[in-house]
Amino acid sequence: MCLSDSANYRGISLSSIFGKLFDSIVLDRFHDQLCLSDMQFGFRSNRSTDQCTMILKESNAYYVSNGFPEFSVFLDATKAFDRVEYCKLFDTLLVRNLPPVFVCLLLKMICKGISRNL
């Protein structure tokens, strides 16, 4: 990675108070419709990527201490949110019975954010 290449860096955007309030309302009111996989560690209440890291370290220690070969694969999700399929996201939210008004608000918020970054 070339440290002087500006494509390797992104500006930090802080959520507005309105955005944080909107997130809290949606997550509180529609928790059941937004259920996630039990295998997801990050971005969930009472879970963090620390648990995933601990499992990885313990697995590594087990294989190394027992003399087994160990192989790891890591995913570089650089700029992952630039590659979100928004149509699929909004379709999924509607299929999960989120009220269209919330989906529309989210769509407008995302479009405003994308247009500012262009």
Side-chain angles (χ1 to χ4, degrees), residues 61-78:
Y62 171 82
Y63 285 107
V64 168
S65 66
N66 289 303
F68 294 114
E70 178 188 1
F71 302 97
S72 297
V73 176
F74 296 93
L75 171 69
D76 178 9
T78 304

Side-chain angles (χ1 to χ4, degrees), residues 9 11 14 26 28 30 33 40 45 50 56-57 63-65 69 72 77 79 83 86 91 96 102-103 110 113:
Y9 300 96
L14 300 175
V26 169
D28 184 56
F30 307 108
Q33 290 99 318
Q40 181 175 342
S45 60
D50 291 341
L56 177 65
K57 286 181 178 181
Y63 285 107
V64 168
S65 66
S72 297
K79 300 181 184 178
R83 293 172 177 86
Y86 291 106
D91 284 342
R96 291 187 179 193
F102 282 99
V103 177
I110 288 174

Side-chain angles (χ1 to χ4, degrees), residues 2 4-5 7 11 15 33-34 38 41 43 54 56 60-61 64 77 86 88 90 110 114:
C2 178
S4 63
D5 185 3
S15 297
Q33 290 99 318
L34 298 172
D38 286 336
F41 287 93
F43 305 105
M54 184 207 58
L56 177 65
N60 289 346
V64 168
Y86 291 106
K88 182 164 178 59
F90 295 121
I110 288 174
I114 291 172

Side-chain angles (χ1 to χ4, degrees), residues 7-103:
N8 293 325
Y9 300 96
R10 299 182 56 120
I12 297 173
S13 131
L14 300 175
S15 297
S16 67
I17 295 297
F18 175 73
K20 290 179 182 182
L21 180 62
F22 179 76
D23 286 348
S24 294
I25 291 169
V26 169
L27 291 173
D28 184 56
R29 290 189 67 189
F30 307 108
H31 180 266
D32 293 339
Q33 290 99 318
L34 298 172
C35 60
L36 304 170
S37 166
D38 286 336
M39 300 302 288
Q40 181 175 342
F41 287 93
F43 305 105
R44 296 202 53 191
S45 60
N46 301 319
R47 293 193 181 196
S48 74
T49 54
D50 291 341
Q51 293 171 325
C52 187
T53 304
M54 184 207 58
I55 291 169
L56 177 65
K57 286 181 178 181
E58 290 297 317
S59 298
N60 289 346
Y62 171 82
Y63 285 107
V64 168
S65 66
N66 289 303
F68 294 114
E70 178 188 1
F71 302 97
S72 297
V73 176
F74 296 93
L75 171 69
D76 178 9
T78 304
K79 300 181 184 178
F81 290 106
D82 290 347
R83 293 172 177 86
V84 171
E85 291 186 42
Y86 291 106
C87 291
K88 182 164 178 59
L89 169 68
F90 295 121
D91 284 342
T92 301
L93 293 175
L94 291 171
V95 166
R96 291 187 179 193
N97 296 319
L98 254 69
V101 68
F102 282 99
V103 177

